[in-house]
Amino acid sequence: MIIMLIGPSAAGKPTLIQRLNDEELKYDKTQAVEYVGDFIDTPGEYVQQRGYWGSLTITSHDADIIGFVQDSSSEDCWFSGGINTKFEKPVVGILTKIDREDSNPKQGRSYLELAGCSTIFSVSSYTGEGIEELSLGMQAMVEQYKKSNSKRYADDYFD
């Protein structure tokens, strides 16, 4: 399963990947689209500068699922309303940094709902809260997508 993470700078995409891969957590700024094992990590600037959205759309064809990452402590909303329709793959919302004192999960969730995410997971990459639910939930969504779209693709498309 290939997961593409999209979100603004400092939303926690590399840290989330490190947690999901059970790696040591360390700050790592994504400079370009990076393929990291089963993940596609995208720079936050690709969301913050609309001219890069075409690149995100094209890159999304390599993914099985798209994760919109929203920092729960940020007041900024970088996702346009209904932007999930830009992608042909399942899109899930991921609310990060829920362990922070300044976390505002209600506001962050509303941003992800505005973007078109009907499934939203709340996680803390530092404490590990919600990580297992996110991993299992994304796997289930991908399996359902593959099952419901099996006739649209060649037999070996999902290999």
Side-chain angles (χ1 to χ4, degrees), residues 43-60:
E45 292 81 5
Y46 279 41
V47 170
Q48 295 165 295
Q49 298 177 26
R50 299 295 185 211
Y52 289 114
W53 272 94
S55 177
L56 291 175
T57 304
I58 290 168
T59 304
S60 73

Side-chain angles (χ1 to χ4, degrees), residues 19 98-99 122-133:
R19 172 58 82 172
I98 61 169
D99 59 306
S122 298
V123 301
S124 167
S125 295
Y126 284 102
T127 67
E129 182 181 351
I131 295 295
E132 185 174 351
E133 293 84 358

Side-chain angles (χ1 to χ4, degrees), residues 13-73:
K13 298 177 299 292
T15 307
L16 179 60
I17 291 171
Q18 292 165 10
R19 172 58 82 172
L20 287 166
N21 284 333
D22 200 26
E23 298 173 353
E24 177 185 350
L25 301 182
K26 60 183 190 285
Y27 177 76
D28 186 23
K29 169 70 178 99
T30 306
Q31 300 296 324
V33 173
E34 295 179 10
Y35 289 72
V36 182
D38 291 337
F39 296 91
I40 303 171
D41 190 7
T42 62
E45 292 81 5
Y46 279 41
V47 170
Q48 295 165 295
Q49 298 177 26
R50 299 295 185 211
Y52 289 114
W53 272 94
S55 177
L56 291 175
T57 304
I58 290 168
T59 304
S60 73
H61 291 282
D62 291 342
D64 295 312
I65 191 167
I66 312 298
F68 286 171
V69 181
Q70 173 67 43
D71 176 351
S72 68
S73 65

